[in-house]
Amino acid sequence: RGNMRLVTGRGLEALADFERALSLDPRRAIFVAGRGLARHRVRSDLEGARKDYDEAIRLDPACFQAWYNRGLLARERGDLASAERDLRAAVAQRAQPEGNLALARVLIDRGTPALAIPLCEQSIQVYADEEVRALFRAELERARRAEKR
């Protein structure tokens, strides 16, 4: 329920839902990662969010949401090396369009567009959703422009 409340803009209620879930099962990585996301979005509590993502990864090293959101947080903070590391770990856990797209963006931002190009090309071939493919085509073009500089 916390995730749905986040999506619908009811962040404080989402945070309360994650807190309630953690009171019942404090070792559930997905709940810890969800609370981290709520802290980030609702309170702009970047440090609290990072600590939650770290804890979720400690509890479950295969927790895609924790790796993915920690990678986005690192990118937001300008720590592109950590963002790349975390997003690579997220994609290794579960190949999702959002993980691949975020990784491609970080690779371009880090000045390694040549690494982003095959990721975007492969993603265009793999994902059937036209909106997703359009996002990857845009990043592919950005990577090609960056590579020419």
PDB file of all heavy atoms in Angstrom, residues 78-107:
ATOM      1  N   GLY A  78      25.518  13.861  -7.279  1.00  0.00           N
ATOM      2  CA  GLY A  78      26.668  14.103  -8.133  1.00  0.00           C
ATOM      3  C   GLY A  78      27.772  13.071  -8.000  1.00  0.00           C
ATOM      4  O   GLY A  78      28.854  13.237  -8.566  1.00  0.00           O
ATOM      5  N   ASP A  79      27.527  11.998  -7.281  1.00  0.00           N
ATOM      6  CA  ASP A  79      28.503  10.922  -7.107  1.00  0.00           C
ATOM      7  C   ASP A  79      28.252   9.875  -8.194  1.00  0.00           C
ATOM      8  O   ASP A  79      27.615   8.850  -7.972  1.00  0.00           O
ATOM      9  CB  ASP A  79      28.363  10.323  -5.712  1.00  0.00           C
ATOM     10  CG  ASP A  79      29.391   9.237  -5.423  1.00  0.00           C
ATOM     11  OD1 ASP A  79      30.185   8.883  -6.331  1.00  0.00           O
ATOM     12  OD2 ASP A  79      29.388   8.720  -4.285  1.00  0.00           O
ATOM     13  N   LEU A  80      28.764  10.168  -9.387  1.00  0.00           N
ATOM     14  CA  LEU A  80      28.469   9.334 -10.544  1.00  0.00           C
ATOM     15  C   LEU A  80      29.127   7.962 -10.477  1.00  0.00           C
ATOM     16  O   LEU A  80      28.572   6.987 -10.983  1.00  0.00           O
ATOM     17  CB  LEU A  80      28.848  10.061 -11.826  1.00  0.00           C
ATOM     18  CG  LEU A  80      28.070  11.361 -12.094  1.00  0.00           C
ATOM     19  CD1 LEU A  80      28.563  12.022 -13.374  1.00  0.00           C
ATOM     20  CD2 LEU A  80      26.573  11.105 -12.158  1.00  0.00           C
ATOM     21  N   ALA A  81      30.285   7.873  -9.841  1.00  0.00           N
ATOM     22  CA  ALA A  81      30.940   6.559  -9.708  1.00  0.00           C
ATOM     23  C   ALA A  81      30.077   5.623  -8.856  1.00  0.00           C
ATOM     24  O   ALA A  81      29.852   4.461  -9.219  1.00  0.00           O
ATOM     25  CB  ALA A  81      32.335   6.715  -9.112  1.00  0.00           C
ATOM     26  N   SER A  82      29.577   6.129  -7.735  1.00  0.00           N
ATOM     27  CA  SER A  82      28.700   5.304  -6.891  1.00  0.00           C
ATOM     28  C   SER A  82      27.387   5.009  -7.599  1.00  0.00           C
ATOM     29  O   SER A  82      26.853   3.901  -7.486  1.00  0.00           O
ATOM     30  CB  SER A  82      28.421   6.017  -5.560  1.00  0.00           C
ATOM     31  OG  SER A  82      29.607   6.099  -4.800  1.00  0.00           O
ATOM     32  N   ALA A  83      26.877   5.984  -8.322  1.00  0.00           N
ATOM     33  CA  ALA A  83      25.631   5.773  -9.065  1.00  0.00           C
ATOM     34  C   ALA A  83      25.805   4.649 -10.074  1.00  0.00           C
ATOM     35  O   ALA A  83      24.944   3.758 -10.170  1.00  0.00           O
ATOM     36  CB  ALA A  83      25.203   7.065  -9.767  1.00  0.00           C
ATOM     37  N   GLU A  84      26.912   4.668 -10.807  1.00  0.00           N
ATOM     38  CA  GLU A  84      27.149   3.603 -11.788  1.00  0.00           C
ATOM     39  C   GLU A  84      27.256   2.245 -11.107  1.00  0.00           C
ATOM     40  O   GLU A  84      26.637   1.274 -11.548  1.00  0.00           O
ATOM     41  CB  GLU A  84      28.419   3.882 -12.593  1.00  0.00           C
ATOM     42  CG  GLU A  84      28.692   2.789 -13.615  1.00  0.00           C
ATOM     43  CD  GLU A  84      29.962   2.983 -14.429  1.00  0.00           C
ATOM     44  OE1 GLU A  84      30.568   4.080 -14.389  1.00  0.00           O
ATOM     45  OE2 GLU A  84      30.352   2.017 -15.109  1.00  0.00           O
ATOM     46  N   ARG A  85      28.009   2.181 -10.020  1.00  0.00           N
ATOM     47  CA  ARG A  85      28.175   0.910  -9.299  1.00  0.00           C
ATOM     48  C   ARG A  85      26.824   0.368  -8.841  1.00  0.00           C
ATOM     49  O   ARG A  85      26.499  -0.803  -9.050  1.00  0.00           O
ATOM     50  CB  ARG A  85      29.103   1.114  -8.104  1.00  0.00           C
ATOM     51  CG  ARG A  85      29.347  -0.159  -7.301  1.00  0.00           C
ATOM     52  CD  ARG A  85      29.912   0.097  -5.923  1.00  0.00           C
ATOM     53  NE  ARG A  85      28.923   0.829  -5.139  1.00  0.00           N
ATOM     54  CZ  ARG A  85      29.182   1.954  -4.447  1.00  0.00           C
ATOM     55  NH1 ARG A  85      30.388   2.472  -4.435  1.00  0.00           N
ATOM     56  NH2 ARG A  85      28.233   2.556  -3.756  1.00  0.00           N
ATOM     57  N   ASP A  86      26.009   1.225  -8.227  1.00  0.00           N
ATOM     58  CA  ASP A  86      24.724   0.775  -7.702  1.00  0.00           C
ATOM     59  C   ASP A  86      23.748   0.405  -8.812  1.00  0.00           C
ATOM     60  O   ASP A  86      23.012  -0.582  -8.698  1.00  0.00           O
ATOM     61  CB  ASP A  86      24.108   1.851  -6.805  1.00  0.00           C
ATOM     62  CG  ASP A  86      24.844   2.003  -5.484  1.00  0.00           C
ATOM     63  OD1 ASP A  86      25.679   1.142  -5.140  1.00  0.00           O
ATOM     64  OD2 ASP A  86      24.571   2.992  -4.779  1.00  0.00           O
ATOM     65  N   LEU A  87      23.739   1.170  -9.875  1.00  0.00           N
ATOM     66  CA  LEU A  87      22.817   0.858 -10.975  1.00  0.00           C
ATOM     67  C   LEU A  87      23.239  -0.414 -11.708  1.00  0.00           C
ATOM     68  O   LEU A  87      22.386  -1.188 -12.145  1.00  0.00           O
ATOM     69  CB  LEU A  87      22.693   2.052 -11.923  1.00  0.00           C
ATOM     70  CG  LEU A  87      21.970   3.247 -11.294  1.00  0.00           C
ATOM     71  CD1 LEU A  87      22.133   4.484 -12.160  1.00  0.00           C
ATOM     72  CD2 LEU A  87      20.503   2.938 -11.037  1.00  0.00           C
ATOM     73  N   ARG A  88      24.529  -0.649 -11.814  1.00  0.00           N
ATOM     74  CA  ARG A  88      24.986  -1.928 -12.392  1.00  0.00           C
ATOM     75  C   ARG A  88      24.523  -3.095 -11.513  1.00  0.00           C
ATOM     76  O   ARG A  88      24.105  -4.134 -12.016  1.00  0.00           O
ATOM     77  CB  ARG A  88      26.502  -1.944 -12.561  1.00  0.00           C
ATOM     78  CG  ARG A  88      26.992  -1.135 -13.746  1.00  0.00           C
ATOM     79  CD  ARG A  88      28.478  -1.351 -13.998  1.00  0.00           C
ATOM     80  NE  ARG A  88      28.961  -0.526 -15.074  1.00  0.00           N
ATOM     81  CZ  ARG A  88      28.780  -0.784 -16.367  1.00  0.00           C
ATOM     82  NH1 ARG A  88      28.117  -1.856 -16.747  1.00  0.00           N
ATOM     83  NH2 ARG A  88      29.280   0.035 -17.287  1.00  0.00           N
ATOM     84  N   ALA A  89      24.604  -2.904 -10.195  1.00  0.00           N
ATOM     85  CA  ALA A  89      24.140  -3.951  -9.285  1.00  0.00           C
ATOM     86  C   ALA A  89      22.633  -4.159  -9.420  1.00  0.00           C
ATOM     87  O   ALA A  89      22.153  -5.296  -9.407  1.00  0.00           O
ATOM     88  CB  ALA A  89      24.499  -3.590  -7.836  1.00  0.00           C
ATOM     89  N   ALA A  90      21.889  -3.079  -9.569  1.00  0.00           N
ATOM     90  CA  ALA A  90      20.434  -3.186  -9.743  1.00  0.00           C
ATOM     91  C   ALA A  90      20.101  -3.964 -11.004  1.00  0.00           C
ATOM     92  O   ALA A  90      19.276  -4.884 -10.977  1.00  0.00           O
ATOM     93  CB  ALA A  90      19.795  -1.793  -9.791  1.00  0.00           C
ATOM     94  N   VAL A  91      20.752  -3.608 -12.099  1.00  0.00           N
ATOM     95  CA  VAL A  91      20.492  -4.269 -13.382  1.00  0.00           C
ATOM     96  C   VAL A  91      20.911  -5.737 -13.318  1.00  0.00           C
ATOM     97  O   VAL A  91      20.259  -6.598 -13.910  1.00  0.00           O
ATOM     98  CB  VAL A  91      21.206  -3.507 -14.529  1.00  0.00           C
ATOM     99  CG1 VAL A  91      21.203  -4.300 -15.810  1.00  0.00           C
ATOM    100  CG2 VAL A  91      20.554  -2.142 -14.727  1.00  0.00           C
ATOM    101  N   ALA A  92      21.954  -6.029 -12.566  1.00  0.00           N
ATOM    102  CA  ALA A  92      22.376  -7.427 -12.413  1.00  0.00           C
ATOM    103  C   ALA A  92      21.322  -8.232 -11.656  1.00  0.00           C
ATOM    104  O   ALA A  92      21.166  -9.437 -11.891  1.00  0.00           O
ATOM    105  CB  ALA A  92      23.719  -7.497 -11.686  1.00  0.00           C
ATOM    106  N   GLN A  93      20.605  -7.583 -10.753  1.00  0.00           N
ATOM    107  CA  GLN A  93      19.558  -8.276  -9.996  1.00  0.00           C
ATOM    108  C   GLN A  93      18.325  -8.520 -10.851  1.00  0.00           C
ATOM    109  O   GLN A  93      17.702  -9.563 -10.777  1.00  0.00           O
ATOM    110  CB  GLN A  93      19.144  -7.460  -8.758  1.00  0.00           C
ATOM    111  CG  GLN A  93      20.248  -7.234  -7.764  1.00  0.00           C
ATOM    112  CD  GLN A  93      20.943  -8.506  -7.347  1.00  0.00           C
ATOM    113  OE1 GLN A  93      20.302  -9.521  -7.088  1.00  0.00           O
ATOM    114  NE2 GLN A  93      22.263  -8.471  -7.300  1.00  0.00           N
ATOM    115  N   ARG A  94      17.979  -7.503 -11.632  1.00  0.00           N
ATOM    116  CA  ARG A  94      16.751  -7.598 -12.425  1.00  0.00           C
ATOM    117  C   ARG A  94      16.824  -6.578 -13.556  1.00  0.00           C
ATOM    118  O   ARG A  94      16.864  -5.373 -13.303  1.00  0.00           O
ATOM    119  CB  ARG A  94      15.539  -7.320 -11.535  1.00  0.00           C
ATOM    120  CG  ARG A  94      14.235  -7.603 -12.212  1.00  0.00           C
ATOM    121  CD  ARG A  94      13.075  -7.553 -11.263  1.00  0.00           C
ATOM    122  NE  ARG A  94      12.831  -6.196 -10.814  1.00  0.00           N
ATOM    123  CZ  ARG A  94      12.225  -5.890  -9.675  1.00  0.00           C
ATOM    124  NH1 ARG A  94      11.820  -6.829  -8.865  1.00  0.00           N
ATOM    125  NH2 ARG A  94      12.021  -4.641  -9.356  1.00  0.00           N
ATOM    126  N   ALA A  95      16.848  -7.057 -14.762  1.00  0.00           N
ATOM    127  CA  ALA A  95      16.919  -6.155 -15.916  1.00  0.00           C
ATOM    128  C   ALA A  95      15.554  -5.503 -16.122  1.00  0.00           C
ATOM    129  O   ALA A  95      14.631  -6.129 -16.626  1.00  0.00           O
ATOM    130  CB  ALA A  95      17.355  -6.908 -17.159  1.00  0.00           C
ATOM    131  N   GLN A  96      15.451  -4.267 -15.693  1.00  0.00           N
ATOM    132  CA  GLN A  96      14.224  -3.490 -15.841  1.00  0.00           C
ATOM    133  C   GLN A  96      14.545  -2.267 -16.691  1.00  0.00           C
ATOM    134  O   GLN A  96      15.652  -1.733 -16.620  1.00  0.00           O
ATOM    135  CB  GLN A  96      13.705  -3.017 -14.473  1.00  0.00           C
ATOM    136  CG  GLN A  96      13.249  -4.114 -13.567  1.00  0.00           C
ATOM    137  CD  GLN A  96      11.884  -4.647 -13.984  1.00  0.00           C
ATOM    138  OE1 GLN A  96      11.274  -4.191 -14.929  1.00  0.00           O
ATOM    139  NE2 GLN A  96      11.415  -5.638 -13.271  1.00  0.00           N
ATOM    140  N   PRO A  97      13.596  -1.785 -17.463  1.00  0.00           N
ATOM    141  CA  PRO A  97      13.873  -0.619 -18.293  1.00  0.00           C
ATOM    142  C   PRO A  97      14.387   0.571 -17.493  1.00  0.00           C
ATOM    143  O   PRO A  97      15.332   1.242 -17.911  1.00  0.00           O
ATOM    144  CB  PRO A  97      12.535  -0.297 -18.951  1.00  0.00           C
ATOM    145  CG  PRO A  97      11.696  -1.503 -18.815  1.00  0.00           C
ATOM    146  CD  PRO A  97      12.235  -2.283 -17.658  1.00  0.00           C
ATOM    147  N   GLU A  98      13.793   0.821 -16.325  1.00  0.00           N
ATOM    148  CA  GLU A  98      14.215   1.991 -15.555  1.00  0.00           C
ATOM    149  C   GLU A  98      15.656   1.871 -15.081  1.00  0.00           C
ATOM    150  O   GLU A  98      16.388   2.861 -15.041  1.00  0.00           O
ATOM    151  CB  GLU A  98      13.261   2.267 -14.387  1.00  0.00           C
ATOM    152  CG  GLU A  98      13.197   1.193 -13.329  1.00  0.00           C
ATOM    153  CD  GLU A  98      12.119   0.150 -13.560  1.00  0.00           C
ATOM    154  OE1 GLU A  98      11.691  -0.061 -14.709  1.00  0.00           O
ATOM    155  OE2 GLU A  98      11.703  -0.481 -12.580  1.00  0.00           O
ATOM    156  N   GLY A  99      16.089   0.657 -14.750  1.00  0.00           N
ATOM    157  CA  GLY A  99      17.473   0.461 -14.343  1.00  0.00           C
ATOM    158  C   GLY A  99      18.435   0.672 -15.494  1.00  0.00           C
ATOM    159  O   GLY A  99      19.455   1.354 -15.359  1.00  0.00           O
ATOM    160  N   ASN A 100      18.115   0.090 -16.641  1.00  0.00           N
ATOM    161  CA  ASN A 100      18.968   0.262 -17.820  1.00  0.00           C
ATOM    162  C   ASN A 100      19.029   1.721 -18.265  1.00  0.00           C
ATOM    163  O   ASN A 100      20.088   2.222 -18.633  1.00  0.00           O
ATOM    164  CB  ASN A 100      18.462  -0.603 -18.970  1.00  0.00           C
ATOM    165  CG  ASN A 100      18.743  -2.071 -18.762  1.00  0.00           C
ATOM    166  OD1 ASN A 100      19.608  -2.442 -17.984  1.00  0.00           O
ATOM    167  ND2 ASN A 100      17.999  -2.920 -19.438  1.00  0.00           N
ATOM    168  N   LEU A 101      17.889   2.401 -18.220  1.00  0.00           N
ATOM    169  CA  LEU A 101      17.851   3.799 -18.650  1.00  0.00           C
ATOM    170  C   LEU A 101      18.670   4.674 -17.706  1.00  0.00           C
ATOM    171  O   LEU A 101      19.457   5.511 -18.149  1.00  0.00           O
ATOM    172  CB  LEU A 101      16.406   4.289 -18.716  1.00  0.00           C
ATOM    173  CG  LEU A 101      16.201   5.680 -19.306  1.00  0.00           C
ATOM    174  CD1 LEU A 101      16.658   5.722 -20.763  1.00  0.00           C
ATOM    175  CD2 LEU A 101      14.732   6.074 -19.201  1.00  0.00           C
ATOM    176  N   ALA A 102      18.501   4.468 -16.404  1.00  0.00           N
ATOM    177  CA  ALA A 102      19.267   5.245 -15.429  1.00  0.00           C
ATOM    178  C   ALA A 102      20.762   4.977 -15.584  1.00  0.00           C
ATOM    179  O   ALA A 102      21.573   5.909 -15.522  1.00  0.00           O
ATOM    180  CB  ALA A 102      18.804   4.925 -14.015  1.00  0.00           C
ATOM    181  N   LEU A 103      21.135   3.724 -15.811  1.00  0.00           N
ATOM    182  CA  LEU A 103      22.546   3.391 -16.009  1.00  0.00           C
ATOM    183  C   LEU A 103      23.079   4.065 -17.267  1.00  0.00           C
ATOM    184  O   LEU A 103      24.177   4.635 -17.257  1.00  0.00           O
ATOM    185  CB  LEU A 103      22.728   1.876 -16.075  1.00  0.00           C
ATOM    186  CG  LEU A 103      24.153   1.390 -16.336  1.00  0.00           C
ATOM    187  CD1 LEU A 103      25.132   1.907 -15.292  1.00  0.00           C
ATOM    188  CD2 LEU A 103      24.177  -0.145 -16.389  1.00  0.00           C
ATOM    189  N   ALA A 104      22.332   4.031 -18.344  1.00  0.00           N
ATOM    190  CA  ALA A 104      22.774   4.694 -19.577  1.00  0.00           C
ATOM    191  C   ALA A 104      23.008   6.186 -19.334  1.00  0.00           C
ATOM    192  O   ALA A 104      24.007   6.753 -19.793  1.00  0.00           O
ATOM    193  CB  ALA A 104      21.746   4.486 -20.693  1.00  0.00           C
ATOM    194  N   ARG A 105      22.108   6.820 -18.623  1.00  0.00           N
ATOM    195  CA  ARG A 105      22.247   8.257 -18.331  1.00  0.00           C
ATOM    196  C   ARG A 105      23.505   8.544 -17.517  1.00  0.00           C
ATOM    197  O   ARG A 105      24.222   9.509 -17.772  1.00  0.00           O
ATOM    198  CB  ARG A 105      20.993   8.764 -17.616  1.00  0.00           C
ATOM    199  CG  ARG A 105      19.806   8.837 -18.533  1.00  0.00           C
ATOM    200  CD  ARG A 105      18.530   9.199 -17.820  1.00  0.00           C
ATOM    201  NE  ARG A 105      17.454   9.415 -18.805  1.00  0.00           N
ATOM    202  CZ  ARG A 105      16.179   9.387 -18.511  1.00  0.00           C
ATOM    203  NH1 ARG A 105      15.770   9.179 -17.271  1.00  0.00           N
ATOM    204  NH2 ARG A 105      15.288   9.586 -19.463  1.00  0.00           N
ATOM    205  N   VAL A 106      23.770   7.693 -16.523  1.00  0.00           N
ATOM    206  CA  VAL A 106      24.966   7.881 -15.705  1.00  0.00           C
ATOM    207  C   VAL A 106      26.230   7.668 -16.538  1.00  0.00           C
ATOM    208  O   VAL A 106      27.202   8.417 -16.412  1.00  0.00           O
ATOM    209  CB  VAL A 106      24.939   6.950 -14.467  1.00  0.00           C
ATOM    210  CG1 VAL A 106      26.296   6.870 -13.794  1.00  0.00           C
ATOM    211  CG2 VAL A 106      23.875   7.423 -13.479  1.00  0.00           C
ATOM    212  N   LEU A 107      26.223   6.659 -17.390  1.00  0.00           N
ATOM    213  CA  LEU A 107      27.397   6.415 -18.243  1.00  0.00           C
ATOM    214  C   LEU A 107      27.683   7.618 -19.141  1.00  0.00           C
ATOM    215  O   LEU A 107      28.841   8.007 -19.314  1.00  0.00           O
ATOM    216  CB  LEU A 107      27.181   5.151 -19.078  1.00  0.00           C
ATOM    217  CG  LEU A 107      27.163   3.842 -18.291  1.00  0.00           C
ATOM    218  CD1 LEU A 107      26.700   2.691 -19.175  1.00  0.00           C
ATOM    219  CD2 LEU A 107      28.524   3.553 -17.675  1.00  0.00           C
TER     220      LEU A 107
END
